[in-house]
């Protein structure tokens, strides 16, 4: 009888501890997802953009700024050792799209520029449907995926975004992040072919 009581007590303690661990893990995952949604609301990216496709070669310094009103992009030419950066081009996406690339007469004739604009529109329109993500948290924790008829979001084990896809448009953004909280590289794919690479030197956001 005594041995049975001891075994029952141990089993009860194990059950209670496992429930507590699950609750802590669930809370932690929810906090991770909330932090990730905040990351992409109001941010600035500084880095290098590379577009090398079909004879269109572009490697420039880039700054991307997003808030709830617009996405603003500036491409720079830098002098020796990175001094005296000179604006090469600028794009702004609000309710309309504004493009200024003085060296190109008609930027929209280039598919690569249109690809870049599509990727920026994804950032402008917002990556995360926050209320839906909160409702789907248990499923996202289990599958590391959020999927609707028009979009697919995939996450790593820390519920950080690693890809965003619009299957109907055959557009996909990849966010490469090793052990960093912010992405180190962003890749834009069209029809499963890489179109734009942004190497992130600095990612700042309001938290």
């Amino acid at each position: 009888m005594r041995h049975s009581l001891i075994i029952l007590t141990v089993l009860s303690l194990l059950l209670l501890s496992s429930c507590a661990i699950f609750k802590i893990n669930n809370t932690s995952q929810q906090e991770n997802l909330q932090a990730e949604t905040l990351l992409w609301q109001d941010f600035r990216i500084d880095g290098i953009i590379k577009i090398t496709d079909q004879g269109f070669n572009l490697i420039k310094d880039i700054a991307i700024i997003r808030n709830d009103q617009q996405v603003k992009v500036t491409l720079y030419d830098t002098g020796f050792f990175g001094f005296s950066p000179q604006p090469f081009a600028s794009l702004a996406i609000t309710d309309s799209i504004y493009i200024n690339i003085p060296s190109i007469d008609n930027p929209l004739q280039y598919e690569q520029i249109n690809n870049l604009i599509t990727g920026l529109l994804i950032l402008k329109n917002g990556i995360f449907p926050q209320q839906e993500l909160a409702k789907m948290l248990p499923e996202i924790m289990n599958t590391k995926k959020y999927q609707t008829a028009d979009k697919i979001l995939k996450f790593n084990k820390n519920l950080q975004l690693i890809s965003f896809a619009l299957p109907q448009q055959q557009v996909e953004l990849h966010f490469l992040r090793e052990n960093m909280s912010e992405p180190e590289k962003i890749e834009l794919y069209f029809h499963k072919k890489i179109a734009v690479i942004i190497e992130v030197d600095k990612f700042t956001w309001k938290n």
Side-chain angles (χ1 to χ4, degrees), residues 1-201:
M1 181 70 180
R2 183 180 178 184
H3 290 296
S4 299
L5 182 60
I6 292 173
I7 292 172
L8 182 61
T9 302
V10 171
L11 289 175
S12 299
L13 289 172
L14 288 173
L15 180 61
L16 289 172
S17 63
S18 64
C19 290
I21 291 171
F22 177 78
K23 185 176 181 180
I24 292 171
N25 182 61
N26 185 59
T27 302
S28 175
Q29 293 285 60
Q30 188 170 2
E31 290 173 350
N32 288 348
L33 187 60
Q34 183 178 8
E36 186 68 10
T37 60
L38 291 174
L39 184 75
W40 297 101
Q41 289 182 18
D42 198 331
F43 63 84
R44 176 182 175 124
I45 294 173
D46 292 281
I48 297 172
I49 184 171
K50 297 180 180 180
I51 307 175
T52 54
D53 179 54
Q54 299 177 10
F56 187 94
N57 295 301
L58 179 69
I59 300 177
K60 302 290 180 184
D61 289 343
I62 187 172
I64 303 174
I65 301 172
R66 185 206 186 272
N67 54 39
D68 58 356
Q69 296 178 336
Q70 68 173 349
V71 169
K72 184 178 180 181
V73 179
T74 306
L75 277 65
Y76 297 95
D77 284 315
T78 56
F80 291 107
F81 305 108
F83 295 129
S84 303
Q86 300 296 321
F88 167 81
S90 60
L91 296 87
I93 300 176
T94 55
D95 295 331
S96 303
I97 300 173
Y98 303 90
I99 307 173
N100 179 25
I101 308 179
S103 62
I104 300 177
D105 292 333
N106 181 14
L108 291 178
Q109 72 178 334
Y110 291 96
E111 180 183 355
Q112 295 81 1
I113 298 295
N114 287 292
N115 291 345
L116 174 61
I117 291 171
T118 300
L120 295 173
L121 280 169
I122 292 174
L123 296 180
K124 168 63 177 68
N125 295 334
I127 293 177
F128 291 103
Q130 295 188 49
Q131 293 182 347
E132 287 298 316
L133 286 177
K135 294 178 184 177
M136 299 290 291
L137 181 62
E139 182 176 340
I140 294 171
M141 288 174 56
N142 184 45
T143 64
K144 304 299 184 289
K145 181 190 293 187
Y146 170 82
Q147 183 170 357
T148 65
D150 61 344
K151 69 178 65 173
I152 302 172
L153 283 69
K154 293 182 181 179
F155 302 86
N156 62 17
K157 64 180 181 180
N158 297 319
L159 290 192
Q160 297 171 319
L161 185 68
I162 56 175
S163 72
F164 176 100
L166 299 175
Q168 296 175 359
Q169 300 180 37
Q170 298 193 54
V171 178
E172 191 163 351
L173 284 171
H174 290 186
F175 304 92
L176 282 68
R177 50 213 301 176
E178 296 296 331
N179 296 315
M180 303 290 291
S181 58
E182 297 87 18
E184 300 169 79
K185 184 184 292 186
I186 301 173
E187 297 176 343
L188 173 63
Y189 287 79
F190 271 81
H191 301 277
K192 299 183 179 181
K193 181 180 179 182
I194 194 163
V196 179
I197 298 173
I198 298 174
E199 296 181 354
V200 180
D201 293 328

